[in-house]
Amino acid sequence: MKIAVIGTGYVGLVTGTCFSETGNQVTCVDIDEQKINTLNSGTITIYEPGLEKIFLRNQKENRLFFTTQIDEAVAEAEIVVLALPTPPGEDGSADLQYILAVAASLGKHLNNDFKVIIDKSTVPVGTADRVKDIIIQNGGNENNFAVVSNPEFLREGVAVDDFMKPDRVVIGTTNEQAIALMNRLYAPFVRQGNPVIFMDEKSAELTKYAAN
């Protein structure tokens, strides 16, 4: 599968690298040109045990790429992962400015191929609906995409193991095309029989807060 990961911070880099490890072609996108150049040179920008080995292997095998060009990455992707920061504001609420800005950009870059937009970030309940609305307001056709909540449960120091061998995968969507694509995406990670749990988007968003 072709995947675009928007954001190359801790979650984005672990997510993109681990998805490439199962044979997907992954393009990670960031606006920080210097960071992208560093990653393209083969230098990893975070420390996480076990990550550098698979990072280098998948770069060498031409499955893991880095770019600043969101339009090119999204155009080719079946799945677009939003792995963007949601820092707490002064009142403690999550700052969604980065996610909503990318959502507006996605509306301009989506084509007629159906795409799943995965939100990996920790976000308030109802964010998937907001992202969907903003994509539509900026030109996206609601029949050509689905916004899915797929929270991450990564622990620093064991994030690669947590991703490659999850004890459960939580997916928030009721869209049948999205369910089929998400099952394909996660099939290699749950071969030991660990559950993939489907629910609606709001329930998945709430699950992340409950787990935290």
Side-chain angles (χ1 to χ4, degrees):
M1 303 175 78
K2 290 188 176 181
I3 301 171
V5 178
I6 315 300
T8 60
Y10 183 83
V11 171
L13 203 50
V14 172
T15 297
T17 302
C18 290
F19 276 147
S20 69
E21 178 71 357
T22 55
N24 299 297
Q25 182 176 310
V26 179
T27 302
C28 297
V29 182
D30 203 290
I31 59 173
D32 186 335
E33 191 168 343
Q34 183 176 351
K35 190 177 188 182
I36 292 298
N37 290 339
T38 299
L39 291 164
N40 274 324
S41 74
T43 302
I44 200 163
T45 51
I46 63 171
Y47 176 72
E48 179 61 35
L51 186 63
E52 185 175 27
K53 181 179 178 181
I54 60 175
F55 169 87
L56 293 172
R57 175 164 63 233
N58 285 286
Q59 271 197 318
K60 184 179 179 182
E61 296 292 334
N62 290 319
R63 288 193 296 261
L64 183 60
F65 305 90
F66 299 91
T67 183
T68 57
Q69 303 301 311
I70 188 172
D71 53 343
E72 295 174 10
V74 169
E76 295 187 0
E78 294 173 81
I79 291 174
V80 179
V81 181
L82 306 183
L84 296 154
T86 53
E90 290 182 6
D91 62 354
S93 63
D95 183 349
L96 298 179
Q97 64 171 312
Y98 303 109
I99 288 177
L100 300 182
V102 167
S105 178
L106 288 177
K108 301 164 188 169
H109 299 315
L110 295 182
N111 51 31
N112 292 326
D113 299 324
F114 183 82
K115 299 183 193 297
V116 169
I117 315 297
I118 297 176
D119 195 354
K120 277 267 176 211
S121 305
T122 302
V123 295
V125 174
T127 299
D129 288 340
R130 288 186 68 185
V131 169
K132 178 181 178 181
D133 289 344
I134 288 173
I135 292 173
I136 292 170
Q137 288 165 17
N138 285 273
N141 181 337
E142 65 179 323
N143 297 316
N144 290 341
F145 74 95
V147 179
V148 172
S149 178
N150 175 217
E152 52 84 15
F153 303 105
L154 304 178
R155 297 167 296 164
E156 288 193 29
V158 288
V160 172
D161 278 347
D162 282 348
F163 200 102
M164 299 302 294
K165 294 177 280 189
D167 57 6
R168 84 286 201 202
V169 177
V170 173
I171 298 172
T173 185
T174 55
N175 182 287
E176 292 298 328
Q177 282 180 276
I179 289 171
L181 278 172
M182 295 299 285
N183 271 323
R184 275 180 57 202
L185 178 65
Y186 275 105
F189 299 94
V190 293
R191 287 181 178 141
Q192 304 303 315
N194 290 338
V196 178
I197 305 165
F198 284 95
M199 57 188 72
D200 63 70
E201 296 87 346
K202 290 183 175 70
S203 296
E205 290 164 341
L206 185 59
T207 296
K208 172 60 175 172
Y209 276 99
N212 283 0

